[in-house]
């Protein structure tokens, strides 16, 4: 059974703290994603990684950084948490579709981390 | 700037009715269009997907209609059931990158 595991379901942090959100997948997927989900705004891509140590900015990377030192683990870092980063954070992984034109690039999601910054 | 625009934001349908959710995109490089379903407290899960070489794809009660010239695609849920009550997201990605861009979501409620 495929699995994407996020380290925390709920997190409360103070303004200015450095926050780490961890995500691990056990499917040997090349791609990993971090999204934030807010009512009325849908799923917005923060960062995308297509290989170890490789990353690409999404639509809203400001205030965030990422780390992918191992294929199975993708970390989202809030350098200095602010109240406007209070949100649901979702991690996902998928098999690379590059060079596999007919391959299904289904993304598998974790259950999310509800982060509250106070 | 929203790369994939989704409507309506919410939808209420009677049991047995047809639910229709629409999406539009601008980037003609998009070539993979999945729909994801999310239940409360869970992450989204793939429901059905289409590539632009076909105009329609059907899986059970779920159908994607795709209009390449209009840059629009839609999800139809036939014979809607209370168990279909969830949030639905359309998405898109391109052939040369797996970066998946989502729409804003539609909250569907099906009443008995």
């Amino acid at each position: 059974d495929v699995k994407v595991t996020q380290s925390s379901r709920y997190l409360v942090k103070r303004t200015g703290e450095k926050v780490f959100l961890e995500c691990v997948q056990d499917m040997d997927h090349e791609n990993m994603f971090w999204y934030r989900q807010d009512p009325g705004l849908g799923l917005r891509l923060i960062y995308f990684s297509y290989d170890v140590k490789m990353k690409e900015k999404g639509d809203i990377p400001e205030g965030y950084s990422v780390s992918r030192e191992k294929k199975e683990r993708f970390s989202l870092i809030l350098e200095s948490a602010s109240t406007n980063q209070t949100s649901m954070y979702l991690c996902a992984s998928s098999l690379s579709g590059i060079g596999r034109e007919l391959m299904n690039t289904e993304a598998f999601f974790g259950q999310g981390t509800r982060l509250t910054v106070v | 700037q929203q790369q994939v625009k989704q409507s309506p934001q919410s939808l209420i349908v009677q049991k047995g009715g047809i639910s229709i959710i629409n999406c539009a995109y601008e980037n003609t490089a998009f070539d993979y269009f999945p729909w994801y379903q999310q239940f409360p407290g869970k992450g989204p899960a793939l429901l059905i997907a289409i590539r632009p070489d076909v105009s329609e794809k059907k899986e059970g009660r779920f159908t994607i209609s795709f209009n390449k010239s209009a840059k629009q695609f839609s999800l139809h849920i036939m014979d809607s059931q209370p168990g279909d009550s969830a949030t639905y997201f359309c998405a898109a990605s391109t052939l040369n990158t797996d970066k998946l861009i989502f729409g804003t979501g539609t909250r569907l409620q099906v009443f008995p």
Side-chain angles (χ1 to χ4, degrees):
Chain A
D1 199 20
V2 297
K3 206 156 186 187
V4 178
T5 303
Q6 295 183 228
S7 53
S8 306
R9 287 298 301 272
Y10 300 95
L11 216 49
V12 179
K13 295 291 181 181
R14 294 198 179 277
T15 302
E17 273 193 80
K18 190 168 186 175
V19 181
F20 292 85
L21 302 183
E22 307 286 346
C23 176
V24 177
Q25 51 98 0
D26 64 0
M27 297 163 281
D28 201 34
H29 283 169
E30 293 89 354
N31 301 319
M32 295 191 75
F33 308 79
W34 275 107
Y35 294 90
R36 64 177 280 178
Q37 182 174 8
D38 300 288
L41 297 176
L43 294 165
R44 291 181 293 167
L45 182 64
I46 305 172
Y47 268 99
F48 163 56
S49 170
Y50 50 93
D51 202 349
V52 175
K53 295 189 190 292
M54 306 305 286
K55 62 186 179 186
E56 200 173 304
K57 289 180 181 179
D59 295 325
I60 52 164
E62 297 79 17
Y64 303 95
S65 61
V66 289
S67 172
R68 191 156 179 214
E69 296 296 318
K70 294 185 177 181
K71 192 175 185 180
E72 68 270 18
R73 186 179 296 270
F74 192 34
S75 303
L76 180 69
I77 303 152
L78 286 66
E79 297 291 342
S80 176
S82 64
T83 54
N84 63 13
Q85 292 178 310
T86 290
S87 185
M88 171 68 81
Y89 289 87
L90 287 161
C91 174
S93 72
S94 71
L95 201 60
S96 174
I98 306 300
R100 302 172 180 149
E101 194 167 326
L102 299 178
M103 179 67 75
N104 177 8
T105 57
E106 178 178 358
F108 294 88
F109 282 82
Q111 293 214 332
T113 296
R114 171 76 62 185
L115 172 67
T116 302
V117 182
V118 298
Chain B
Q1 152 198 1
Q2 194 73 31
Q3 294 191 55
V4 180
K5 295 183 179 176
Q6 183 172 348
S7 63
Q9 191 169 353
S10 64
L11 186 59
I12 299 174
V13 172
Q14 204 81 27
K15 179 183 174 183
I18 302 172
S19 304
I20 302 173
I21 305 170
N22 300 300
C23 284
Y25 63 96
E26 288 298 323
N27 186 352
T28 54
F30 285 146
D31 72 335
Y32 174 66
F33 302 91
W35 285 88
Y36 281 76
Q37 180 188 53
Q38 184 183 30
F39 293 105
K42 303 284 187 184
L46 180 67
L47 182 64
I48 186 173
I50 197 168
R51 292 199 183 270
D53 50 345
V54 296
S55 60
E56 187 175 281
K57 184 172 181 181
K58 186 174 181 180
E59 288 184 3
R61 295 184 294 108
F62 300 91
T63 300
I64 300 178
S65 297
F66 184 79
N67 185 331
K68 191 172 181 178
S69 60
K71 292 186 284 186
Q72 294 175 348
F73 58 110
S74 58
L75 176 69
H76 291 64
I77 306 174
M78 311 300 286
D79 186 26
S80 299
Q81 299 296 313
D84 297 331
S85 297
T87 300
Y88 292 81
F89 293 96
C90 60
S93 68
T94 64
L95 184 62
N96 60 359
T97 171
D98 294 320
K99 194 161 69 171
L100 198 55
I101 304 298
F102 283 85
T104 49
T106 297
R107 186 179 174 215
L108 172 66
Q109 295 173 272
V110 182
F111 286 97

